């Protein structure tokens, strides 16, 4: 049987490296600060970790794999947002609490996969 045969462990849907910047906190605009982020979609949440490659070997210890932040996708909104950046392949994720993130990848197919997978989770939660 699968490790989640009891249905209690949230399902890992997707994980990978994206460029990320937070542009609003509770509806209040923030200054952009793009950084690579290890992004994990699990259950109803998008979880962000610091890019291990941007850390020194000494700083990369198990204790440091603590998430940087996490986003509840229930009620969230997703939009392509190339007008919000000079970078290509940018989408905006807005949470119900008014936090806004831009996520970006140089790889077209990769960013489309992320967009579709996140949108599917949002749609699933909307139907619950
Ligand atoms: O939308 P903006 O404000 O032009 O975004 C750019 C700036 O945030 C810039 O930082 P400083 O204004 O602190 O120098 C960033 O380095 C750029 O990456 C931002 O623009 P892009 O187009 O990369 O999202």
């Amino acid at each position: 049987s699968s490790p989640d045969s009891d249905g209690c462990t949230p399902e890992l849907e997707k994980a990978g490296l994206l460029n990320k910047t937070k542009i609003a906190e509770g509806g209040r605009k923030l200054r952009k600060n793009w950084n690579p982020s290890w992004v994990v979609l699990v259950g109803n949440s998008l979880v962000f970790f610091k890019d291990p490659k941007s850390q020194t070997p000494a700083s990369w210890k198990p204790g440091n794999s603590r998430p940087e932040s996490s986003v509840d996708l229930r009620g969230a909104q997703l939009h392509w947002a190339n007008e919000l950046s000079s970078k290509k392949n940018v989408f905006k994720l807005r949470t119900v609490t008014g936090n806004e993130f831009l996520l970006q990848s140089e790889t077209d197919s990769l960013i489309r996969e992320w967009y579709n997978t996140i949108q599917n989770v949002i749609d699933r939660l909307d139907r619950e």
Side-chain angles (χ1 to χ4, degrees):
S1 69
S2 78
D4 188 36
S5 52
D6 63 356
C8 290
T9 310
E11 207 179 314
L12 177 72
E13 310 232 18
K14 198 169 177 56
L17 201 58
L18 293 175
N19 294 313
K20 183 196 81 166
T21 181
K22 192 173 188 178
I23 59 166
E25 165 87 44
R28 197 173 46 86
K29 203 169 178 286
L30 296 176
R31 184 162 188 181
K32 273 184 188 164
N33 179 23
W34 285 103
N35 281 117
S37 181
W38 182 256
V39 185
V40 178
L41 180 58
V42 60
N44 305 344
S45 299
L46 203 58
V47 186
F48 301 119
F49 295 81
K50 279 195 174 156
D51 172 18
K53 289 201 290 289
S54 72
Q55 300 183 355
T56 65
S59 74
W60 185 234
K61 294 182 226 122
N64 288 350
S65 61
R66 181 170 59 85
E68 199 177 26
S69 61
S70 158
V71 166
D72 183 0
L73 292 175
R74 193 178 292 275
Q77 296 181 330
L78 199 61
H79 296 286
W80 290 110
N82 287 315
E83 77 283 2
L84 295 182
S85 177
S86 60
K87 302 182 194 302
K88 67 170 193 171
N89 298 336
V90 175
F91 63 72
K92 182 171 87 173
L93 177 65
R94 185 185 195 283
T95 68
V96 279
T97 56
N99 294 343
E100 297 184 357
F101 300 86
L102 300 183
L103 293 169
Q104 189 266 348
S105 167
E106 289 303 306
T107 310
D108 300 17
S109 56
L110 203 145
I111 199 73
R112 256 186 281 114
E113 276 178 28
W114 272 103
Y115 185 95
N116 292 334
T117 309
I118 295 171
Q119 188 62 63
N120 285 343
V121 173
I122 293 172
D123 290 345
R124 167 170 60 73
L125 292 169
D126 280 348
R127 287 193 304 268
E128 278 181 10

